[in-house]
Structure formats: C-alpha cells, structure tokens
C-alpha cells in the first residue's frame, strides 16, 4: 500500500499569512513495498470561503512525472486574506493510482499596500542615543575600548502600547492580527501572549525588507471590552549591534504597525488599526538590549495594563504619534519563527569567593535564564553570562568589546516565588554568575531556555567512537546556537550573518536541519543589500556600521564571502532540489560576477593578469592556525595578506564554473558557455601567476593547495606535485591541520580523492592542537572560534566558544563514515558507501530528505564481517558501493545484482537499488586503515 504523507506548502506544514503568489507543493510517499516510483500526479487546489465552502480553482489533471517536490501553483490569482487547501493523488503505474491525500491548508496575508488601513505609530519617546563611532581600526590596531557611562544612563526603556476596543454581541467567524514593528514586539490580548514566537518581526534588512506576521487571535477575544497590548524594544533595529557595538543601525525610534481584523458570522467586519487613539507608557523594563542585556524592576510593573478594566490609563499613558513610514517594503513572514526550543537545568551550582552563585548548565547555548526566586526580600540581582571558566575554575567573561556586557539585572518586588526571565535579549553562555541574591538557589530553581529558529531536525549521525560522537554533538549545538533568525557567526560577540561562515557550513547545516526556507529568506536580504556595483557585503543584514570597515580594510566585500550569493543557492538546490532559489538569485549572481571581473581587471592591460583578483583586500584563507597559535602569533590579517590573491583568484574561477553549471540548470545555454570560458581564463591565469616552475604554489600553505586541488585548477604534473606538497606540509606539521577558514571544508575530500585516506583519518583523530578532538578533550560542547581558545597549558582566551564554521567537518563525516552522499538534487539518487578504520567500525546515519527517510547503518563485527543496512525512500534510488569484498561473497553479489559495475579492482562492486529496505552481509578482504 502506498500512502501520501508530509504534505508541505512552500516547505511549511502550516503556511499562514503568506504573500507567495505561486506557492510550491511537495509530498512524500510511504510504502513497505520495494520499487515504488511515482509515474504521474494530479493536484486539486480549492479556495475556501468564509463559511467553509470550497471551490476548485486549479486542477493539474494527470501530469506524467516522478517529481514530488516544489511543484509551483499555476492557477487563478490568489487573493488577500483568503484560505486555500490542496490535495494530491499519484499514479504508480500507467493505470493504478492512490486515493486522494488528506488536505493541506494555507492562508494568504495582505498582498497589497492598500490592504493596510492601519498607520505606523510611535510611542512617546526620545530618540535612541547614537554611540560614538568606533571603527575596527580603533578596536584592533589602536586597542580602543570605547569607554562609556552605564547602560541605564544611555539606554531608554522599552515602550508599552495599548488599545481598548469592544466586540459586539455576535458570533465571530475569524480574527486575524497583522503586525510588525520598528524594533522587537511582544503582543498580548487580554493579558495573554498570542504566540510563542520570539524576537519578531525577525532580523531583516529593515530599510529594504521588513516582515509582518499574521496570527489567528480568535481564541483570545471576548465579548465586550478587549485590550491589545504591545511592548516594543530596540532589538536589531535600534539597539547596539555589529562588531563595534554601534546603536540606531536602522532607525532611532520604535514604531508599531498593527491591524486587527474581526469578521463576524454575518460577514460584517471590524478593523482595529494602529492610529492616534493608541496609548503609550513605560513599565518594568528599565532597558533591554540584545547585546548589553536587560534590566527589569518588578515594582514598576503595570499590573493589568493589557487587560480589560485597567483603571490607570489616564495617569501615565499618552497618545501615540502617527507617522508616514513606508509600507512598500513589507513582506509576509517567510520561514520559521524563533522559539524556545529546549529547557535545560544546571548540572552544578556553587559559590565563589565573593559569595556569588556560579551556575553550570553543562552546555554552551544561545538563550536566557529563567530564575525562580526563593526569597521575599527586595533586592537587585545581577546575572552575568559566560561560555567558559578560566584556568583556575573562576567565572571568566570571554567576550570583550563595546556593549558586549551579556548581563541582566532584576530588581525584585519582594515576594517569594517571583520569576525572572528576560524578554528582548539573548546571550551565548554555559555559565551564569548571580550576585546580589540572598535566597537559596537549588538546581530546580533555575533553568536555561534554549532559543533558535524552529527548524526541523532532519539528520542524525552516530558511531561507537565517543569522541566523534561528542564532536558531532558540538557541531549540532553550534548550529542551534547560531540559527537564530539569521545564520550568525556567534551568538554573543557579533550575532552577525557573516557570509563566509555560512557558505562553508551550509552543507553540514542542511543535513542537520531543514534550512531551505530559513536560508532563502537570508539570501533575499543578501540580494536587496547588494550594492549598485554588484558587491555582496561581508555580512547580512548589514547595519550602517559595516561602512566603517572601509576605514580598516578598504573593503566591504571579499572573495569566499561574497561568493556565498552563488555557492549557497547552489547548495540549497543540491540538497532540496530547489530550482527557484537559483532563479531568484541569478541576477545577483551575475551582478556579483560582473563586479569581480571589473575589480580584477581594474587598471590592467595584460590579458592574463586581468583575470587575477589581486586588486583589493580579501580575507584570504582567514585564521590559518600557524598564524594564530604560539607565543607571538602573527594574527589573521597577516594570514589574509599571505593568501588573499591566490585564494581570491581561485574563488573567481570556482564561482565562474558554478555559475556556468547553474546556467545549464536554468537552460541559459549561451550564458553557461560564456561563464565556462571565463572559468578557463581565470584558471589559466591562476596557473601562470601562482604555480612555480617547480610545481609549488607561490603561497606555500596547506589551505592554498587544498583550494587549488578542490576547485580543479591544476592538472597533470602540477596536480600531482600539489598533492605531494600538501601531504608533505601535513607530515611536517605532525599530521595537524593548518587550513584556514575557506579551505578547511575541502581538505579531507582532497586527501581522500587523491588516495590519502589514511592521512585524512589522522587529521580527524589528531588530539593535539589544532584539531577537532583537541577541543573535545578540553571540554568543548560547541565548536570554537579559535583552535587554541583553551591553550594546552589550560589558559583560557577571550574568544567565542560557539562558532560553527569549523564544524563544516560534519558534511564529510556523513559522507565518508556515514556512507551517505547525495548524487542528484534532493537526494533523488544518493550513494551508499561507508568507510572505516581501526578506530571506527560502526556508524548509523539517518536523514529526512524531501523524498522521505534515508537510513544507512553499518557494522564490522569481530569476525571481520560487514553488515550494511540501507533504507531507500519511495520515488528515489541508491547507488550502493561495496568495498573490500571477500572473493567468495563477490561472486555471490555479481550473480545477485544485474547491471553491477566492478571498480578499480576485483573486490569493489557498485549497483543501483530502487526504494525499499536492504541488508547486505559479506566478509571483508583486507586490513583496517590505521589512524
């Protein structure tokens, strides 16, 4: 029996309040049978009126196709506020078909500016104080800290906004709240929070792209008087963000746009839109900032301010101002909300020499604490956050810089059982230090709320090697801590969407979680922030402080970072079969490539040198370990200078080739040919400029050889010599990695592809610094920014201990030891080929692809027998590769599998299997690789 399951609209189970005019439909098939392939499909789409009647508006009729993902709606024009549903049936032969699936529903938001009757309003407030300029040059070269007065004297309180309205004595059919803000908003109706979403309206390029959200608020409304209450805070919009900690990055005043639409059963409507009748005030929040932290005074709480019957409106509440702010850049929420995803309790509570509580949650996270007070005294409690203790086991503020306080304050009312939890801030931490609290603090009195975007976890990988499992755990937690509204580099110091970090980690991220919608939204921001000249900014969304980078490096873009506009959409296409993101980003890709061409050729006449991108600053192979470690490290800027020209030119060639491949996918054949010729020219220029007569590269570093080989820039003798030199450099470095930011994702594949699997395994299982397992041995629960964040002697540095970039090793782990490699987009076809060594003889990989659940599980028992199990979901197939097969079993397999292929030698067999569950057992012929 074949079932149609997991119906998704625009990759969401519940798409609500969208403005996508051609949403895409996907489904998976479930069956215990083998060889299940979809032959054809038929989709029906219905419009649903206000009383639930359905009218069909699109019938695909029978479409002969095995495609079951991203099928775009192409029926009648969709309308604002309207509900729709769809269902599908499939044929699995020329005649036989399934019954219709269950229905999947979605609802449109406000599609046109004139759908908004609400006006932008601003509470009574002072403009946000702009921090004095602090450039990167000031911070890193001149060592300036930007000394300031206390946050309480600089920051303004979050604002309360309320509106009382009445509901008639009639049955309500539906009620929707459409809402957004300049800043962050926390919305309530009649004293109840209407959503568990946090940090709405999410972090976007506010000047170009502002999201609004749609909520079903019918359950919160009552007959008679009702109250809509909203608290506004600075957030990313006006708060202290960016590397230098500047404020008012997108605006200097908080604002609200809100439209509550109530539809009665008799089809009459009422609209409560923001206007000058809304009232504003302040409450228990003294200040709140995403980076500095939050301060609350519970005695200032306005009890009942968001409920009917509140009596104190006339005393401290004033009418808001109506403004003429824009509506044309509003977009409906796309992708997942930030939510509280986990609640973890401490593993230990102790006291330091100053009688402050030190709370250890056992895991570095992004989030905030929830504290249950066991005291009835009025007191000011200070809560500081850190990711690590120092070498003496003392609380240590590992994050430095202006406005990076990560400190919350709570002034209690003086009642036993009070609960403190910040609202508009989050921190990166494992430890908190609590001072000023005179009550007893037990494990059950405090917890850590883990916050990140509500992304579906899709991948699981485990082995019998505890160190590798801990490494995998660290990768997962770094992803959780850095997928909060945008893909960030770290959740404490910068919280910025660095393009280079994301492009190296994206393949691993796409295995762990469904990031298709999440990264699509981020890419939309990247596109609207692209400069007229075509530059793709180094991080996105880009606050105004990014332009200060020009004073430090003279650049706001870099090779390997800006190339994310090409690399990341390509990864999304490969992982999810998402062709639309290629189409949407294609103009920006071409614009970037045009900028690269012009920048590289600037003031050059020689035909060859015009294709060397050596005309500006680039980050190069950023943070090469040998430049970062030791008593007197040269630092990352020096590693950039040493590698920037060769790395930039290599990425120029690589992106040109990718753009050629993308053009072919989109049927732009002439452009594909043009970009391929460009790739060839850059490749030739790279060899001419950066390959010596001896075959060595001018930049003689592990990472540069790795990139040149991974991007296929070398051939013949040059390729062989580059591989040999890379291996030499690794051996000279005692089998330790010395690749920087952009090359580390490729080194393991380069070694394996050229016959040096043993050396790749030595790098993985290396326990001296720098290595992944060095971090594991030193207590890491996430991936570190610096390999030597904790030195071998135990000295703890002021680095971020939660940077996912070097966690890019996860993608290789899944493909190599996990045995799962995508071949066709969306894992329509995938390869099953596990590898092993003496330290790892068993692994299990599970992945929820867009076609269904994939499993690869293998184990080598004490008798040297391989047991390999695989599950191939319906409507897909797998290429199975069995290695080192005993001759007797090889003969058996050859007889069993028609169309098999024998590779390299007589004990390596490949064959293709359709959907189903499989198990293969065979004796291994050969020894383990020692690593």
């Amino acid at each position: 029996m074949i079932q149609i399951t997991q119906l998704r609209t625009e990759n969401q189970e519940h798409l609500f309040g969208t403005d996508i005019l051609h949403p895409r439909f996907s489904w998976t098939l479930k069956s215990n049978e083998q060889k299940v392939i979809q032959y054809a499909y038929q989709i029906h789409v219905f419009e649903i009126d206000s009383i639930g009647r359905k009218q069909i508006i699109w019938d695909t009729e029978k479409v002969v196709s095995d495609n079951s993902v991203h099928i775009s709606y192409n029926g009648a024009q969709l309308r604002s506020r309207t509900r729709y549903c769809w269902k599908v049936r499939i044929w699995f032969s020329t005649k036989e078909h399934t019954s219709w699936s269950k229905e999947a529903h979605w609802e449109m938001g406000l599609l046109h500016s004139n759908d908004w009757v609400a006006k932008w309003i601003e509470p009574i407030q002072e403009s946000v104080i702009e921090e004095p300029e602090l450039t990167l040059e000031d911070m890193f070269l001149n060592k300036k800290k930007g000394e300031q007065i206390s946050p309480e004297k600089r920051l303004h309180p979050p604002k309360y906004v309320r509106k009382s309205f009445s509901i008639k004595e009639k049955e309500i059919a539906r009620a929707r709240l459409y809402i957004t803000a300049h800043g962050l908003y926390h919305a309530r109706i009649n004293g109840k929070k209407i959503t568990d979403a946090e940090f709405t309206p999410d972090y976007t390029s506010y000047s170009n792209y502002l999201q609004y959200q749609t909520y079903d608020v019918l359950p919160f409304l009552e007959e008679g008087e009702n109250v809509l209450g909203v608290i506004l805070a600075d957030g990313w919009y006006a708060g202290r963000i960016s590397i230098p900690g500047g404020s008012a990055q997108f605006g200097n005043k908080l604002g609200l746009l809100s439209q509550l639409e109530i539809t009665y059963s008799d089809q009459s409507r009422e609209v409560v839109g923001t206007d000058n009748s809304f009232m504003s005030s302040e409450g228990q929040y003294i200040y709140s900032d995403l980076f500095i932290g939050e301060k609350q005074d519970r005695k200032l709480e306005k009890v009942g301010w968001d409920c009917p019957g509140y009596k104190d409106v006339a005393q401290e509440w004033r009418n808001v101002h109506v403004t003429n702010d824009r509506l044309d850049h509003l977009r409906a929420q796309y992708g997942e909300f930030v939510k509280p995803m986990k609640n973890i309790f401490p593993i230990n509570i102790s006291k330091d020499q100053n009688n402050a509580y030190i709370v250890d949650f056992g895991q570095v996270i992004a989030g905030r604490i929830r504290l249950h007070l066991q005291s009835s005294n009025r007191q000011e409690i200070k809560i500081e956050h850190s990711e690590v203790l120092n070498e003496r086991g003392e609380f240590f503020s590992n994050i430095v810089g202006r406005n990076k306080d990560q400190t919350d304050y709570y002034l209690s009312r003086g009642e036993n059982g009070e609960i403190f939890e910040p609202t508009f801030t989050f921190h990166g931490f494992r430890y908190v230090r609590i001072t000023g609290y005179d009550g007893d603090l037990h494990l059950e009195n405090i917890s850590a709320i883990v916050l990140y975007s509500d992304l579906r976890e899709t991948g699981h990988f485990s082995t019998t090697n505890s160190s590798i499992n801990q490494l995998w755990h660290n990768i997962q937690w770094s992803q959780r801590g850095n997928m909060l509204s945008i893909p960030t580099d770290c959740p404490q110091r910068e919280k910025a969407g660095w393009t280079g970090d994301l492009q190296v980690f994206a393949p691993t991220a796409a295995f762990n979680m469904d990031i298709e919608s999440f990264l699509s939204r981020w890419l939309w921001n990247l596109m609207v922030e692209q400069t007229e000249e075509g530059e793709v900014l180094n991080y996105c969304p880009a606050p105004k402080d990014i332009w200060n980078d020009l004073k430090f490096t003279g650049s706001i873009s870099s090779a390997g970072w800006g190339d994310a506009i090409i690399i990341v959409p390509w990864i999304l296409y490969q992982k999810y079969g998402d062709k639309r993101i290629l189409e949407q980003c294609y103009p920006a890709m071409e614009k970037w490539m045009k900028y690269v061409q012009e920048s590289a050729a600037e003031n050059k006449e020689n035909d060859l040198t015009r294709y060397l991108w050596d005309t500006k600053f680039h980050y190069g192979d950023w943070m090469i370990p040998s430049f970062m470690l030791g008593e007197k490290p040269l630092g990352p800027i020096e590693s950039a200078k040493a590698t920037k020209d060769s790395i930039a030119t290599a990425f120029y060639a690589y992106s040109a080739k990718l753009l050629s491949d993308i053009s072919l996918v989109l049927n732009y054949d002439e452009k594909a040919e043009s970009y391929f010729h460009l790739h060839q020219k850059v490749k030739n220029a790279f060899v001419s400029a950066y390959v010596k007569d001896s075959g060595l590269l001018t930049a003689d570093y592990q990472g540069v050889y790795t990139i040149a080989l991974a991007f296929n820039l070398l051939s013949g003798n040059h390729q062989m010599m580059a591989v040999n030199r890379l291996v030499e450099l690794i051996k000279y470095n005692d089998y330790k990695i010395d690749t920087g930011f952009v090359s580390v994702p490729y080194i393991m594949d380069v070694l394996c592809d050229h016959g040096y699997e043993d050396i790749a395994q030595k790098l993985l299982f290396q326990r001296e610094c720098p290595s992944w397992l060095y971090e594991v041995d030193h207590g890491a629960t996430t991936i570190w920014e610096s390999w030597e964040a904790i030195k071998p002697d135990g000295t703890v540095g002021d680095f971020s201990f939660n940077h996912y970039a070097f966690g890019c090793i996860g993608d290789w782990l899944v493909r190599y030891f996990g045995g799962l490699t995508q071949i066709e987009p969306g894992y329509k076809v995938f390869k099953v080929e596990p590898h092993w060594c003496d330290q790892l003889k068993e692994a299990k990989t599970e992945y929820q692809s867009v076609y269904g659940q994939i499993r690869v599980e293998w184990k080598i028992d004490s008798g040297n027998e391989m047991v390999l199990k695989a599950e191939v979901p319906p409507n897909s197939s797998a290429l199975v590769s069995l290695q080192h097969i005993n001759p007797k079993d090889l003969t058996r397999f050859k007889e069993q599998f028609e169309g098999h292929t024998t590779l390299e030698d007589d004990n390596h067999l490949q064959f293709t299997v359709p959907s189903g569950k499989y198990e293969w057992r065979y004796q291994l012929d050969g020894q383990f690789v020692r690593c």
Side-chain angles (χ1 to χ4, degrees), residues 162-269:
R162 80 184 302 271
K163 169 69 176 180
S164 176
F165 59 95
S166 293
I167 291 181
K168 299 174 182 177
E169 296 182 12
K170 294 194 295 185
E171 182 182 12
I172 302 175
R174 66 179 242 162
R176 299 290 185 265
L177 179 66
Y178 306 96
I179 183 171
T180 189
H182 291 154
L184 303 178
Y185 71 81
H186 176 105
R188 306 172 70 84
I189 291 179
N190 297 333
K192 298 177 181 178
K193 189 178 179 184
I194 63 169
T195 175
D196 60 350
E198 303 280 352
F199 306 113
T200 47
D202 269 314
Y203 190 12
T204 57
S205 176
Y206 295 115
S207 304
N208 306 292
Y209 172 27
L210 176 61
Q211 291 192 138
Y212 70 88
Q213 289 73 41
T214 304
Y215 303 105
D216 178 1
V217 295
L218 179 58
F220 302 95
L221 298 177
E222 303 170 356
E223 187 178 298
E225 184 188 6
N226 290 260
V227 174
L228 169 64
V230 181
I231 308 173
L232 300 173
D234 290 350
W236 295 283
Y237 182 81
R240 289 122 204 96
I241 62 173
S242 77
I243 304 169
S247 61
Q249 298 291 329
F250 298 95
N252 62 7
K253 284 195 174 182
L254 304 178
L256 176 67
L257 180 69
S258 169
Q259 186 161 303
L260 173 61
E261 299 186 358
I262 302 167
T263 305
Y264 295 98
S265 296
D266 63 5
Q267 299 309 296
S268 61
R269 292 174 69 239

Side-chain angles (χ1 to χ4, degrees), residues 52-250:
R53 294 175 301 190
K54 294 186 293 186
Q55 177 183 356
I56 190 166
I57 58 170
W58 191 46
D59 180 358
T60 63
E61 299 184 339
K62 183 178 179 180
V63 178
V64 177
S65 170
D66 64 353
N67 186 22
S68 58
V69 299
H70 302 313
I71 296 168
S72 183
Y73 170 76
N74 196 28
Q77 184 172 349
L78 302 177
R79 301 188 297 156
S80 294
R81 306 177 179 87
T82 306
R83 293 185 296 153
Y84 298 90
C85 68
W86 67 279
K87 61 183 180 179
V88 62
R89 63 176 177 176
I90 69 114
W91 281 257
F92 49 93
S93 70
T94 55
K95 296 181 179 179
E96 297 179 286
H97 60 75
T98 65
S99 57
W100 286 99
S101 70
K102 294 181 179 180
E103 292 177 347
H105 294 74
W106 87 92
E107 182 172 313
M108 302 304 292
L110 304 181
L111 303 181
H112 313 287
S113 293
N114 59 13
D115 287 327
W116 290 91
V117 298
K119 304 296 183 183
W120 276 103
I121 60 172
E122 289 180 353
I124 305 303
Q125 62 189 298
E126 299 178 38
S127 296
V128 172
I129 296 173
E130 294 202 31
E131 303 284 357
E133 182 182 273
L134 182 67
T135 66
L136 298 182
E137 183 178 14
D138 291 332
M139 293 173 62
F140 296 119
L141 296 184
N142 302 326
K143 304 299 181 184
K144 291 183 179 180
K145 297 182 179 179
E147 301 296 336
Q148 299 159 295
I149 59 176
S150 68
E152 195 165 344
K153 295 180 180 179
R154 287 183 290 125
L155 277 63
H156 302 318
K159 306 303 175 185
Y160 286 41
V161 178
R162 80 184 302 271
K163 169 69 176 180
S164 176
F165 59 95
S166 293
I167 291 181
K168 299 174 182 177
E169 296 182 12
K170 294 194 295 185
E171 182 182 12
I172 302 175
R174 66 179 242 162
R176 299 290 185 265
L177 179 66
Y178 306 96
I179 183 171
T180 189
H182 291 154
L184 303 178
Y185 71 81
H186 176 105
R188 306 172 70 84
I189 291 179
N190 297 333
K192 298 177 181 178
K193 189 178 179 184
I194 63 169
T195 175
D196 60 350
E198 303 280 352
F199 306 113
T200 47
D202 269 314
Y203 190 12
T204 57
S205 176
Y206 295 115
S207 304
N208 306 292
Y209 172 27
L210 176 61
Q211 291 192 138
Y212 70 88
Q213 289 73 41
T214 304
Y215 303 105
D216 178 1
V217 295
L218 179 58
F220 302 95
L221 298 177
E222 303 170 356
E223 187 178 298
E225 184 188 6
N226 290 260
V227 174
L228 169 64
V230 181
I231 308 173
L232 300 173
D234 290 350
W236 295 283
Y237 182 81
R240 289 122 204 96
I241 62 173
S242 77
I243 304 169
S247 61
Q249 298 291 329
F250 298 95

Side-chain angles (χ1 to χ4, degrees), residues 560-575:
W561 275 251
D563 293 290
I565 193 61
I566 295 175
I567 296 171
V568 175
W570 180 249
I571 291 169
L572 293 182
Y573 169 66
Q574 294 296 324
K575 298 299 183 181

Side-chain angles (χ1 to χ4, degrees), residues 454-512:
D454 188 12
L455 302 170
R456 182 171 57 106
E457 295 196 1
T458 51
H460 302 277
F461 171 77
S462 62
T463 75
T464 51
N465 186 299
S466 60
S467 295
I468 298 300
N469 289 346
Q470 182 63 45
L471 170 59
W472 188 260
H473 170 100
N474 296 353
I475 293 168
Q476 287 181 309
W477 274 100
S478 273
Q479 181 165 347
R480 291 172 183 139
N482 285 291
M483 294 279 164
L484 196 154
S485 191
I486 63 168
T488 60
D489 60 328
C490 57
Q492 9 62 7
R493 187 184 64 226
E494 297 171 36
K495 304 181 182 181
W498 282 92
T499 49
D501 298 56
L502 190 276
Q503 70 93 352
V504 301
F505 187 68
T508 300
F511 175 81
N512 283 329

Side-chain angles (χ1 to χ4, degrees), residues 373-661:
L373 274 64
Q374 306 300 307
S375 173
S376 57
N377 296 327
R378 166 78 166 167
Q379 53 197 308
E380 179 173 299
I381 302 168
K382 180 181 181 181
I383 301 122
E384 301 166 272
H385 302 76
S386 176
E387 293 174 325
V388 67
L389 301 179
N390 69 14
E391 55 271 20
R392 296 179 297 278
E394 301 165 336
F395 188 84
F396 172 72
S397 296
N398 64 295
I399 298 303
V400 296
R402 184 175 69 168
N403 291 328
K404 314 299 183 184
D405 305 40
Q406 288 214 119
T407 302
D408 300 324
Y409 291 89
Y410 181 63
L411 282 73
S412 67
R413 184 191 297 273
E415 297 175 354
N416 189 36
E418 292 180 50
I419 300 175
F420 168 64
E421 180 181 342
T423 307
F424 298 108
T425 191
F426 69 93
H427 309 296
F429 68 99
R430 169 176 171 171
Y431 300 91
V432 296
R433 177 167 61 185
I434 301 176
T435 56
Y437 178 48
D438 64 9
D440 293 328
L441 186 60
H442 303 289
L443 296 176
E444 65 272 16
N445 300 144
I446 185 171
S447 62
I449 311 302
V450 181
L451 298 166
Y452 55 92
S453 293
D454 188 12
L455 302 170
R456 182 171 57 106
E457 295 196 1
T458 51
H460 302 277
F461 171 77
S462 62
T463 75
T464 51
N465 186 299
S466 60
S467 295
I468 298 300
N469 289 346
Q470 182 63 45
L471 170 59
W472 188 260
H473 170 100
N474 296 353
I475 293 168
Q476 287 181 309
W477 274 100
S478 273
Q479 181 165 347
R480 291 172 183 139
N482 285 291
M483 294 279 164
L484 196 154
S485 191
I486 63 168
T488 60
D489 60 328
C490 57
Q492 9 62 7
R493 187 184 64 226
E494 297 171 36
K495 304 181 182 181
W498 282 92
T499 49
D501 298 56
L502 190 276
Q503 70 93 352
V504 301
F505 187 68
T508 300
F511 175 81
N512 283 329
M513 296 177 177
D514 181 354
I515 56 170
E516 183 181 359
S517 300
F518 179 80
L519 287 190
S520 293
R521 182 178 72 201
W522 179 76
L523 285 165
W524 295 346
N525 285 276
L526 202 62
M527 287 188 283
V528 298
E529 290 188 330
Q530 188 175 23
T531 69
E532 290 184 7
E533 296 75 21
E535 284 189 270
V536 174
L537 305 184
N538 286 325
Y539 51 94
C540 169
K544 66 183 182 183
D545 276 355
I546 195 172
W547 299 101
N548 289 335
D549 291 5
L550 291 170
K551 299 176 182 179
F552 184 49
T553 64
S555 178
I556 52 170
S557 66
S558 171
W561 275 251
D563 293 290
I565 193 61
I566 295 175
I567 296 171
V568 175
W570 180 249
I571 291 169
L572 293 182
Y573 169 66
Q574 294 296 324
K575 298 299 183 181
Y576 304 108
D578 185 358
K579 189 182 292 188
R580 191 179 69 181
I581 196 63
L582 297 180
E583 296 167 343
Q584 290 175 336
C585 292
Y586 193 81
M589 295 176 188
E590 288 201 294
K591 196 173 178 182
W592 165 252
M593 187 55 62
K594 184 174 184 290
Y595 163 74
V596 173
Q597 286 181 266
E598 292 176 350
S599 176
E602 187 177 3
N603 298 322
K604 295 178 183 177
E605 296 181 1
N606 184 288
D607 283 344
L608 201 61
T609 60
R610 289 173 62 85
Y611 297 101
L612 302 176
W613 200 11
D614 56 2
T615 53
K616 66 185 288 291
F617 174 83
H618 300 281
Y619 289 114
D621 202 16
W622 184 248
M623 290 184 70
I624 297 174
S626 56
F627 283 76
M628 301 299 299
L629 310 181
E631 293 300 318
K632 294 182 179 180
L634 296 174
I637 292 295
E638 292 303 314
S639 74
K641 291 177 180 178
T643 60
K644 70 181 185 66
D645 295 344
S646 53
I647 289 292
T649 304
F651 269 94
Y652 182 3
Y654 179 60
S655 285
K657 177 60 167 63
L658 277 186
L659 192 48
S660 175
D661 294 341

